[in-house]
Amino acid sequence: MYFEKRLVANLLNKTPSFIVMESQALLRQQIIKNFIAQHTENAADAAITHWEQLAAQIISIVGNDGFNSLYARSLFITQSIFAWLAAGSLSPQTDHRFAELKISFKGRPAEQVSEANTLLLLNFTDILASLIGEEFTTTILCLAWNIDESGKIGKEFK
């Protein structure tokens, strides 16, 4: 009984942390979906650019091996829906890091590329958020893509 009363009192006095985390997750997901939706022209090239920008931010924190592990797991999960995505390893050279992803995207309709890239990014950021938290993950996305925390895209991406 004490626990139930304490829980109700806490709920009345503040927003529970799981609600805050859930709203952060929804913000992150919405940022990704909106960002990809605004870059449907040359979707394959845009996707690679987005990944390169995100990789630069993540690698500065967790290193190449950390990024490659997160990316490989995300790719594996995404292949359950988009089996045509390349399963190869990432190139250690920065300028060829996403060569196999680019090959997978080439020749596909822009809508299909956007859907696959969105899911890949969602899976990647879900894993990242489980490790470093929603708020930090959202901040990294915003830094990588020049988006303010409210989800508005910076001038150079308009």
Side-chain angles (χ1 to χ4, degrees):
M1 185 68 138
Y2 170 78
F3 178 74
E4 291 170 351
K5 287 181 182 178
R6 184 80 177 138
L7 179 62
V8 170
N10 281 339
L11 288 175
L12 293 174
N13 292 329
K14 67 177 188 173
T15 305
S17 61
F18 68 87
I19 292 175
V20 173
M21 290 186 327
E22 183 67 25
S23 65
Q24 275 288 340
L26 292 174
L27 173 62
R28 174 179 48 83
Q29 293 165 5
Q30 198 59 51
I31 287 171
I32 291 169
K33 290 175 183 176
N34 288 343
F35 191 72
I36 299 301
Q38 292 180 8
H39 298 93
T40 55
E41 192 172 315
N42 299 317
D45 292 333
I48 300 306
T49 300
H50 300 156
W51 275 103
E52 289 169 346
Q53 293 166 333
L54 185 57
Q57 293 294 322
I58 306 273
I59 289 169
S60 70
I61 299 167
V62 300
N64 279 319
D65 291 342
F67 177 84
N68 291 346
S69 295
L70 291 168
Y71 179 80
R73 180 65 182 152
S74 304
L75 190 58
F76 177 78
I77 294 167
T78 305
Q79 285 173 324
S80 67
I81 305 295
F82 297 99
W84 49 265
L85 284 173
S89 61
L90 288 172
S91 170
Q93 298 175 346
T94 304
D95 57 337
H96 299 295
R97 182 181 309 279
F98 299 104
E100 291 187 27
L101 182 63
K102 188 173 187 173
I103 291 168
S104 293
F105 285 162
K106 287 294 181 189
R108 299 273 174 188
E111 183 178 313
Q112 194 176 46
V113 169
S114 294
E115 288 174 5
N117 191 39
T118 298
L119 184 59
L120 183 57
L121 285 163
L122 289 171
N123 287 331
F124 182 89
T125 57
D126 282 348
I127 296 168
L128 185 62
S130 73
L131 297 171
I132 66 172
E134 283 294 343
E135 190 171 345
F136 193 31
T137 301
T138 301
T139 299
I140 291 169
L141 270 179
C142 292
L143 287 171
W145 295 340
N146 193 33
I147 300 172
D148 71 25
E149 290 287 330
S150 67
K152 295 179 184 163
I153 295 176
K155 291 179 184 175
E156 61 267 12
F157 286 111
K158 287 185 180 179

